[in-house]
Amino acid sequence: METPGNSLPGVSSRIRRQKSKKSVQTTDKSSRRLSKEDIAKFINSRKQNICVGLLQHGFHRSFSELFLLLRLDQERREGAEINSALSLQTPLEEQHAKIESIGLHLSRAEQAQRDGQWPAAYEQRLHLGTYFTAEGEDLWLSLHFYHTCTDAQEDGCMRHATEGRACLAELYLQQGQLDKAREQAELCVQMADEGGWLDSSGRSLPRRARESLWAIYSRQADARIKAGDPYEALELLHRGYTTATESENKHIEGEAAYQLGLAYYSVGDYDTSEQYLNTSMHICSTTEDFDGLGKAYKAVAKLCESKGNINNTIQLLETLVDISRSKSLHHHLVDACLCLGHVYTNKKQYDRARESLLQGYNVACDIGDVTLVQKAQVSLASAHTRCIVGKYSADVESTVPAGLSRLLAWKVSRGLHEDSDHAGVCDY
């Protein structure tokens, strides 16, 4: 006798397929269950997840430093004035990309320390310092990470400490904290000379440190000049000139000599001023720094005028006009023309004065510099007035019939055309 299963061979196989399908479905459902970690990612904030992740992977130092920075950021904003730029900044804990970068590179640095790879650890900190330098509101973070590099004492890490100081000097200079900038730059010069390293971008650290130190001395000298202490400013400028010379950067060496020349001029030491200004002219000419050359020419021309060497002044300014025109240095060209116009006016050569001033006015109009246009307009109007008054005075004092004729013609034209656009048309 046949059994039901034997009489229906397709039924058992269909039942097995259904059971297998249910088993797969059950497996799929169980595989789709979320873990506690997955749930935490949805429930917790991004900051919490980053901090928890650091702890789970054993980066306790990185967690502590990140937590410290978040707390410092909160204190900075709470201590700021209401509606100030700082108080209106987005809290660091809400800037997820930044705290992720901090967590990532700090954990890499901590791992490198565990492996005894100290240079790699400081590279991560230098990277973070550079990363936040690009963000204007995050310079305090750059300062933090660069400061952590300056403490490096391990073998092979002195280059990182030196570069950290170079970066600190530049940032403090950028913020106007000149004393702090000078302290870091002077230490950096000492350390860089001992090692002669290149920084992360391939620049010479001794040269980079001296370039920063020169800029700091220059800014401090400006402050002393404004405070009415030119002699202390001169001392700072001499340090800056020495530093610039040692940097082997001819551009800043020429600028340093120019600044010294101006400083000596301000205290009345014209001979020493001329010495440094001529040095600046020579350096700028050699390096084809035409902008610096233009400044030096104008300064020497002014110096010659102060010493009474008017012919030398005119020669220098005419040379500057030619250089500025050939090199398309429009602003120097305008300044040179205006200076020439003033010199000719003082020499009572009014026609030449008007010619130079008009040339400067036209160039100022072409480049669209409103300030220079207004300055040229005033100078040109003044020279034109002096020209008219000078000719009128000469005719009044003259006994020549032609002079009397011009006076009479001017008087008649003034009466006939008093309200006309052509009033005053005559030889004057």
Side-chain angles (χ1 to χ4, degrees):
M1 183 176 178
E2 295 182 357
T3 61
N6 293 333
S7 62
L8 297 174
V11 173
S12 59
S13 60
R14 187 163 60 249
I15 292 173
R16 285 196 300 269
R17 287 197 300 269
Q18 290 175 351
K19 288 181 178 181
S20 176
K21 185 175 181 182
K22 288 181 180 181
S23 176
V24 171
Q25 289 175 349
T26 302
T27 303
D28 291 342
K29 287 180 180 180
S30 63
S31 64
R32 287 200 299 268
R33 290 176 182 172
L34 297 177
S35 65
K36 292 181 179 180
E37 291 77 10
D38 294 331
I39 295 173
K41 290 179 181 180
F42 290 99
I43 296 177
N44 297 334
S45 66
R46 184 72 65 85
K47 180 197 75 172
Q48 289 176 302
N49 289 327
I50 294 171
C51 291
V52 169
L54 290 173
L55 292 174
Q56 287 178 334
H57 291 86
F59 296 117
H60 297 88
R61 292 182 180 179
S62 301
F63 164 78
S64 298
E65 189 169 352
L66 175 58
F67 195 82
L68 170 66
L69 293 174
L70 292 170
R71 181 168 58 81
L72 289 175
D73 176 66
Q74 182 179 357
E75 292 175 355
R76 289 171 66 251
R77 289 183 293 102
E78 289 176 351
E81 295 182 1
I82 298 176
N83 293 328
S84 65
L86 178 55
S87 67
L88 297 176
Q89 286 181 10
T90 303
L92 179 60
E93 66 178 24
E94 296 179 12
Q95 301 184 63
H96 302 147
K98 292 180 181 179
I99 59 176
E100 284 180 354
S101 294
I102 294 174
L104 173 65
H105 291 285
L106 285 182
S107 61
R108 288 179 177 176
E110 187 172 350
Q111 184 61 54
Q113 291 176 11
R114 293 174 183 172
D115 298 338
Q117 302 294 324
W118 287 96
Y122 287 111
E123 284 291 349
Q124 295 297 322
R125 292 185 171 275
L126 286 174
H127 176 86
L128 281 170
T130 305
Y131 174 79
F132 287 108
T133 301
E135 302 289 339
E137 64 183 29
D138 294 326
L139 292 182
W140 70 278
L141 286 169
S142 292
L143 291 172
H144 168 80
F145 290 115
Y146 287 140
H147 267 293
T148 61
C149 292
T150 60
D151 299 329
Q153 299 293 331
E154 295 79 12
D155 291 340
C157 298
M158 290 303 295
R159 192 270 295 176
H160 302 84
T162 306
E163 184 172 348
R165 292 198 184 278
C167 295
L168 284 174
E170 292 165 358
L171 285 181
Y172 281 131
L173 175 62
Q174 180 181 336
Q175 294 180 327
Q177 300 184 53
L178 300 182
D179 291 338
K180 289 184 177 181
R182 178 175 170 179
E183 178 186 2
Q184 295 294 336
E186 289 178 343
L187 286 171
C188 184
V189 168
Q190 296 175 12
M191 296 170 66
D193 284 344
E194 293 176 4
W197 301 287
L198 301 179
D199 65 12
S200 300
S201 63
R203 292 176 58 190
S204 166
L205 272 172
R207 176 171 177 171
R208 178 179 173 181
R210 283 179 169 80
E211 289 172 350
S212 296
L213 186 56
W214 164 77
I216 294 164
Y217 285 142
S218 177
R219 288 273 295 276
Q220 287 186 323
D222 288 342
R224 300 316 305 159
I225 290 173
K226 291 178 181 178
D229 192 351
Y231 293 101
E232 186 174 346
L234 276 171
E235 182 181 348
L236 288 166
L237 288 173
H238 271 290
R239 291 185 183 182
Y241 180 69
T242 301
T243 302
T245 303
E246 292 173 350
S247 74
E248 300 181 353
N249 183 331
K250 287 297 182 181
H251 174 73
I252 66 172
E253 184 180 344
E255 180 65 19
Y258 170 76
Q259 292 177 355
L260 261 176
L262 293 185
Y264 275 111
Y265 176 83
S266 69
V267 299
D269 189 344
Y270 293 160
D271 291 337
T272 308
S273 174
E274 186 174 11
Q275 173 187 343
Y276 281 106
L277 290 174
N278 284 333
T279 299
S280 178
M281 288 175 60
H282 174 72
I283 293 173
C284 293
S285 177
T286 303
T287 59
E288 297 187 349
D289 178 6
F290 296 111
D291 185 62
L293 185 62
K295 293 193 303 181
Y297 260 101
K298 284 185 288 186
V300 175
K302 184 178 180 180
L303 176 61
C304 289
E305 186 179 12
S306 299
K307 294 171 69 173
N309 299 331
I310 304 301
N311 291 334
N312 287 347
T313 300
I314 293 175
Q315 183 179 359
L316 284 164
L317 290 174
E318 287 179 343
T319 302
L320 179 57
V321 167
D322 294 337
I323 294 174
S324 300
R325 185 182 289 111
S326 64
K327 302 299 180 182
S328 299
L329 303 173
H330 302 300
H331 286 79
H332 285 310
L333 178 57
V334 174
D335 286 341
C337 289
L338 296 185
C339 290
L340 262 178
H342 294 149
V343 173
Y344 284 133
T345 298
N346 293 334
K347 288 173 65 67
K348 297 184 179 181
Q349 299 180 17
Y350 299 116
D351 289 334
R352 300 190 71 176
R354 284 194 300 176
E355 179 183 349
S356 295
L357 292 170
L358 182 60
Q359 182 181 356
Y361 170 75
N362 290 332
V363 175
C365 291
D366 290 340
I367 63 178
D369 190 318
V370 177
T371 302
L372 281 179
V373 169
Q374 293 174 343
K375 182 179 178 181
Q377 283 176 329
V378 172
S379 300
L380 186 57
S382 176
H384 183 67
T385 302
R386 290 190 181 190
C387 181
I388 293 176
V389 172
K391 289 184 178 180
Y392 175 81
S393 299
D395 283 342
V396 169
E397 297 173 359
S398 175
T399 59
V400 178
L404 180 60
S405 298
R406 285 193 294 270
L407 288 172
L408 291 173
W410 174 73
K411 181 178 180 181
V412 171
S413 65
R414 181 184 179 190
L416 293 176
H417 304 285
E418 189 171 6
D419 298 326
S420 169
D421 291 339
H422 301 285
V425 175
C426 65
D427 289 339
Y428 296 124

